[in-house]
């Protein structure tokens, strides 16, 4: 068969036009796609499905893609996405990481972009969670998404009640061995005691480290007793709930995630355990560390308006409730820190203890320098707990190093 | 005939490789070298700061801790794994069924390593009295030790895990090296009345030199880059360095500065220090091994 040159040229032109048309159509389809990255495992995106369904009902032309990002990979993936300026529209991430990203201008300030949403969060979010994500300049780098706090778990057949204050804590831990499941000998484990004693890491303006206050020294001296005197395990993550079941421990502290799964994982503990808020410190406060994640919009998102609409959808009470139920359905637990009014209706054991602790919880220091300085506090804590250092001297040294770095940054 | 006419087709065929190698191999290396002289946090464009990142590294006490830990780890793992690997190869290098099974057993960690294996180690080294190591200590009448929560145990645990994971690989390479030595050399030595020790010193080790160099250099490089063992055994959401930073290695430090603190310029500088040290060590080792020829 013979083709002449004109026919070939026309055919090629047609093919080129077709390719361009397809590419443009694809480009238009991509423009109406909202991409959300959630830290967690492969089940985590399931909890977002009620929000996706509600959002799609209002925006049928927009496709929503929810992907899970393992915790171990989150920081590398997010950094790569930020560097390429082509990342997801919305992300969930730890509060400290969000503060660090927000301070570098990577996240949208909700106060400025969506004052209505910011006001709603002000009314309904957990106050501690909201404080943890607000910069010292008042900017709101995201919305509190989910939260967890520490609780006391104890063997109800061995202890009549959980210790209510520091003194009774020591007494109980002398009788029944004690273990802390996470944050042993690090800032994370020490932080509740610091807050319960009335101390803080930075002043309100984040300009000065105040970890050498008398309150902090008192807290660290008490904290060190748990390990030096009561021989609590110092591993990063000891098998504390297994120990509670075997009877190796009568008392432990761990996160709220155990509430929904304790009976499921430890059959031998059914009917033999209870939970309570942390023991009160010298100030009467029972403050726990408030961990969890934040939902934020990346600065480079080309769909900022849609992303804000999606956020508004997430925080509708009905949607939030269905999300929490979706998490329970797959064996997880999602405590909505942006709508904590929805938690009271969740079918969870020891809900009163949970609600009491959520009312007295604080996130990590909401200061941009914290991610760069947390190891300094951890080192001071470890020098006291593991190497027998003096609490006052070590905290003074930590404060000096932190303040020197803060001054250098100004 | 021009070069293009003669080799045009060949060049086209290898072009995809060079394009990919340039894009994913050469370009990132050059880019990281440039980034090491900048202030870069991923969110904005890099800003030139000259040698400031290197000066900051030199002044950071944590960097020196990481360097010290890495050096001790590297020296311990590569020395123990080479000596033990060679001893095992000499003891279990034949074709008998028993020796083959022994080699398979030692090689298994190289196949089945990774996150799962480290999780198993975490369980074995559990500080509770029912962790395997502590069960053994208790059986011997010793107090349980805090293997994962006491700085004095950190490096021994990491070295044990490191040696365990590379020993089988070294064993297999040494066995291959031993089999390449001509049997006639041993026969002649035996005729001359050489003892087994003399055969080892004067025939085996000199002939095994290239294998020894290869195993030592690759082992040093691998152990200098150690990351996931300390990260999984001692890292947590709140700390990466373990008790008193005793598990802080250079790559862990680099990860912390680069991806946790988003200080990518400084992390690039740390990466270049690591690369330079590895080049230096390898060169020195090759020089020392070559001198004895």
């Amino acid at each position: 068969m013979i083709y002449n040159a004109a026919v070939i040229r026309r055919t090629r032109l047609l093919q080129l036009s077709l390719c361009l048309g397809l590419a443009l159509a694809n480009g238009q389809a991509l423009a109406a796609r909202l991409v959300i990255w959630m830290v967690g495992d492969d089940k985590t995106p399931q909890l977002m499905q009620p929000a996706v369904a509600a959002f799609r009902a209002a925006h049928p032309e927009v496709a929503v893609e929810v992907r899970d990002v393992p915790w171990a990979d989150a920081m590398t993936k997010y950094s790569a996405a930020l560097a390429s300026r082509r990342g997801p529209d919305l992300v969930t991430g730890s509060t400290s990481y969000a503060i660090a990203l927000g301070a570098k201008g990577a996240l949208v300030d909700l106060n400025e972009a969506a004052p209505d949403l910011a006001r709603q969060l002000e009314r309904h979010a957990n106050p501690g969670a909201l404080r943890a994500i607000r910069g010292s300049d008042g900017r709101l780098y995201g919305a509190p998404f989910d939260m967890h706090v520490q609780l006391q778990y104890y063997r109800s057949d061995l202890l009549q009640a959980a210790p209510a204050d520091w003194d009774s804590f020591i007494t109980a831990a002398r009788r029944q061995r004690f273990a802390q499941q996470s944050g042993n000998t690090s800032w994370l484990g020490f932080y509740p005691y610091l807050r319960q004693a009335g101390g803080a890491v930075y002043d309100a303006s984040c300009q000065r480290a105040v970890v050498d206050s008398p309150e902090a020294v008192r807290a660290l001296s008490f904290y060190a007793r748990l390990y030096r005197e009561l021989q609590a395990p110092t591993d990063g993550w000891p098998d504390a709930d297994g120990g509670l079941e075997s009877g190796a421990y009568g008392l432990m502290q761990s996160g709220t995630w155990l509430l929904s799964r304790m009976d499921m994982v430890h059959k031998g503990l059914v009917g033999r355990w209870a939970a309570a808020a942390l023991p009160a410190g010298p100030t009467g406060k029972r403050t726990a560390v408030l961990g969890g994640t934040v939902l934020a919009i990346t600065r480079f998102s080309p769909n900022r308006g849609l992303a804000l609409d999606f956020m508004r959808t997430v925080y509708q009470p009905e949607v939030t409730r269905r999300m929490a139920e979706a998490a329970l359905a797959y064996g997880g637990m999602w405590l909505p820190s942006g709508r904590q009014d929805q938690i009271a209706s969740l079918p969870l054991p020891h809900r009163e203890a949970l609600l009491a602790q959520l009312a007295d919880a604080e996130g990590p220091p909401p200061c941009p320098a914290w991610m760069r300085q947390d190891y300094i506090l951890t080192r001071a804590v470890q020098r006291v707990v593991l190497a027998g250092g003096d609490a006052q001297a070590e905290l003074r040294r930590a404060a000096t190093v932190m303040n020197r770095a803060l001054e250098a940054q100004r | 005939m021009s070069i293009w006419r003669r080799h045009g087709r060949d060049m086209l065929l290898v072009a995809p490789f060079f394009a990919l190698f340039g894009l994913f191999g050469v370009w990132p290396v050059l880019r990281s070298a440039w980034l090491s002289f900048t202030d870069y946090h991923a969110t904005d464009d890099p800003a030139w700061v000259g040698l400031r990142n290197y000066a900051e590294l030199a002044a950071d006490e944590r960097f020196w801790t990481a360097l010290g830990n890495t050096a001790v780890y590297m020296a311990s793992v590569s020395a123990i794994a080479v000596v033990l690997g060679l001893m095992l190869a000499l003891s279990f290098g034949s074709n008998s069924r028993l020796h083959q099974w022994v080699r398979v057993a030692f090689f298994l960690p190289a196949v089945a390593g990774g996150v799962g294996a480290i999780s198993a180690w975490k369980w074995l080294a559990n500080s509770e009295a029912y962790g395997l190591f502590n069960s053994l200590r208790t059986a011997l009448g010793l107090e349980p030790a805090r293997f994962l929560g006491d700085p004095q145990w950190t490096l021994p645990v990491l070295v044990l895990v490191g040696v365990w994971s590379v020993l089988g690989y070294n064993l297999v390479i040494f066995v291959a090296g031993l089999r390449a030595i001509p049997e006639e050399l041993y026969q002649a030595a035996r005729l001359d009345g050489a003892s087994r020790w003399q055969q080892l010193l004067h025939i085996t080790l000199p002939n095994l030199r290239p294998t020894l160099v290869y195993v030592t250099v690759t082992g040093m490089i691998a152990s200098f880059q150690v990351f996931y063992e300390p990260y999984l055994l001692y890292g947590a959401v709140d700390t990466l360095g373990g008790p008193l930073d005793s598990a802080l290695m250079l790559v862990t430090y680099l990860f912390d500065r680069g991806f946790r603190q988003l200080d990518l310029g400084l992390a690039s500088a740390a990466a270049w220090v690591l690369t330079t040290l590895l080049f230096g060590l390898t060169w020195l080792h090759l020089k020392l091994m070559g001198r004895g020829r």
Side-chain angles (χ1 to χ4, degrees), chain A residues 186 232 234-235 249 374 382, chain B residues 127-128 146 149 238 244 260 262:
Chain A
S186 78
T234 51
D235 288 20
Y249 306 116
D374 61 0
Q382 291 183 341
Chain B
S127 294
E128 308 305 323
R146 293 168 168 179
D238 50 324
L244 285 169
R260 193 167 160 270
L262 275 183

Side-chain angles (χ1 to χ4, degrees), chain A residues 105-341:
Chain A
L107 304 175
V108 169
D109 174 15
L110 292 184
N111 273 336
E112 188 190 322
D116 59 317
L117 185 58
R119 277 195 301 275
Q120 185 194 330
L121 289 168
E122 195 71 48
R123 282 196 303 276
H124 297 293
N126 178 283
L130 202 59
R131 276 195 292 275
I133 187 58
R134 184 177 283 136
S136 53
D137 54 3
R139 282 186 290 176
L140 191 59
Y141 297 122
F145 186 63
D146 80 325
M147 59 184 165
H148 49 79
V149 291
Q150 298 130 313
L151 288 175
Q152 292 192 90
Y153 295 88
Y154 62 99
R155 284 280 296 264
S156 49
D157 55 338
L158 300 175
L159 284 171
Q160 283 189 330
D165 54 32
W166 283 10
D167 289 338
S168 56
F169 180 20
I170 293 286
T171 310
R174 277 209 184 100
R175 279 191 286 130
Q176 302 291 332
R177 274 195 75 203
F178 161 77
Q180 187 163 301
Q181 192 153 47
S182 62
N184 282 302
T185 77
S186 78
W187 72 265
L188 184 63
F190 168 60
Y191 196 64
Y193 300 93
L194 176 70
R195 304 296 297 190
Q196 288 161 17
V201 177
Y202 298 101
D203 65 8
S205 65
C206 293
Q207 298 289 308
R208 186 161 185 77
V210 292
V211 286
D212 54 346
S213 66
E215 294 81 10
V217 173
R218 185 174 185 183
L220 185 50
S221 304
F222 178 80
Y223 183 65
R225 286 179 70 189
L226 302 180
Y227 299 94
R228 286 159 59 173
E229 191 181 315
L230 302 173
Q231 300 295 312
T234 51
D235 288 20
W237 192 277
D239 182 25
D241 45 329
L244 198 70
E245 183 177 16
S246 70
Y249 306 116
L251 179 65
M252 63 172 276
Q253 289 176 13
S254 184
T256 38
W257 54 80
L258 273 180
L259 279 178
S260 63
R261 50 184 289 222
M262 188 76 98
D263 285 343
M264 206 160 41
V265 178
H266 300 290
K267 304 287 183 201
L269 272 177
V270 175
R272 298 165 68 200
W273 67 278
L278 297 185
T283 59
K285 291 200 292 186
R286 312 182 76 149
T287 314
V289 178
L290 195 142
T293 57
V294 169
L295 180 64
I297 300 171
T298 56
R299 190 179 82 186
F300 307 111
S301 164
N303 305 308
R304 184 178 292 195
L306 287 172
L308 283 168
D309 271 356
F310 187 85
M311 267 188 149
R312 291 188 184 96
T313 308
V314 166
Y315 293 100
Q316 288 169 11
E318 176 63 16
V319 174
T320 308
R321 186 181 55 75
R322 275 189 276 137
M323 287 169 68
E325 287 168 358
L328 286 173
Y330 70 73
M333 191 168 83
W334 184 70
L335 298 176
S337 46
R339 291 252 17 159
Q340 70 165 358
D341 51 323

Side-chain angles (χ1 to χ4, degrees), chain B residues 54-68:
Chain B
Y54 290 94
E56 195 176 326
L57 272 184
D60 188 353
E61 185 190 336
R62 256 189 133 205
F63 169 74
W64 294 105
T65 305
L67 186 60

Side-chain angles (χ1 to χ4, degrees), chain B residues 120-131:
Chain B
W121 275 101
K122 201 166 186 174
W123 184 249
L124 295 176
N126 195 309
S127 294
E128 308 305 323
Y130 47 83

Side-chain angles (χ1 to χ4, degrees), chain A residues 1-13:
Chain A
M1 194 180 282
I2 298 168
Y3 292 98
N4 65 38
V7 171
I8 293 173
R9 268 201 303 274
R10 266 205 304 275
T11 311
R12 285 190 177 159
L13 201 64

Side-chain angles (χ1 to χ4, degrees), chain B residues 155-201:
Chain B
L155 272 171
V157 168
L158 285 173
V159 168
L160 180 65
V161 176
V163 170
W164 170 83
S165 61
V166 298
L167 194 56
Y169 176 77
N170 286 5
L171 163 63
V172 169
I173 300 288
F174 279 133
V175 167
L178 287 172
R179 288 189 180 172
I181 301 173
E183 180 58 28
E184 293 80 8
L185 294 176
Y186 291 104
Q187 286 171 357
R190 280 195 291 272
L191 282 174
D192 290 341
S195 66
R196 291 177 73 86
W197 179 247
Q198 285 171 321
Q199 288 175 44
L200 174 72
L201 281 186

